[in-house]
């Protein structure tokens, strides 16, 4: 199984949205309840750090970064989004994507990556920890899905290459 990692293009949106929709359906990946339109998604994610994974030409996952703030002091801090299609989870695609996203983020000058993950999403927590993230804390009952309060575990990864060195 050859996993090819490429830059995400505007033409990838339909496949990105399909995989995102699968993640939303689990109710353990995001507070979102529907996939936004391309224009909103595009505006809220850094153009420089968007990747897709393909096997035999078919998209199997994607990863992207969102700025955490418009304030210049936070210019090197971004939030990770990473999704793998249902039928390809557990095969190492997420780890390949996240490691490549980390590399690209550092090349772009990002010194801190953060992720907010539901504690029930143990696979995502393990993935992030295996890629150098640490657990910072838990934001208790930070939001609701279908009327149920959910906690979010906050993880971060600080670069050894760029930023505050």
């Amino acid at each position: 199984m050859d996993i090819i990692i490429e830059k995400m293009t505007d033409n990838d949106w339909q496949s990105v949205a399909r995989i995102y929709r699968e993640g939303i359906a689990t109710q353990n990946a995001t507070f979102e309840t529907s996939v936004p339109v391309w224009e909103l998604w595009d505006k809220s994610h850094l153009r420089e750090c968007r990747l897709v994974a393909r096997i035999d030409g078919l998209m199997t996952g994607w990863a992207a970064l969102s700025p955490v703030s418009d304030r210049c002091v936070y210019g090197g801090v971004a939030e990770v989004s990473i999704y793998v299609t249902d039928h390809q989870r557990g095969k190492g695609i997420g780890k390949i994507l996240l490691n490549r996203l980390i590399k690209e983020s550092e090349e772009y000058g990002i010194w801190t990556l953060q992720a907010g993950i539901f504690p029930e999403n143990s696979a995502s927590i393990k993935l992030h920890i295996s890629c150098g993230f640490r657990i910072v804390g838990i934001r208790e009952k930070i939001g609701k899905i279908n009327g149920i309060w959910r906690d979010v575990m906050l993880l971060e990864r600080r670069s050894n290459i760029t930023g505050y060195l």
Side-chain angles (χ1 to χ4, degrees), residues 6 16 21 35 38-40 62 65 67-68 75 90-92 98 103 114-115 120-121 126 129-130 133 135 138-139 162:
E6 300 175 322
V16 168
R21 197 172 297 109
V35 175
W38 162 249
E39 292 77 16
L40 290 176
W62 61 270
L65 296 179
V68 298
K91 297 181 179 178
L98 186 52
K103 182 179 183 294
Q114 67 182 39
E120 297 83 1
N121 193 344
K126 287 176 190 173
I129 290 172
S130 76
F133 284 72
I135 297 170
I138 296 178
R139 301 178 78 192
T162 190

Side-chain angles (χ1 to χ4, degrees), residues 93-108:
I93 296 166
K95 188 163 191 165
I96 292 168
L97 266 172
L98 186 52
N99 279 324
R100 179 72 167 276
L101 187 67
I102 290 166
K103 182 179 183 294
E104 292 209 2
S105 73
E106 290 175 331
E107 289 171 1
Y108 184 62

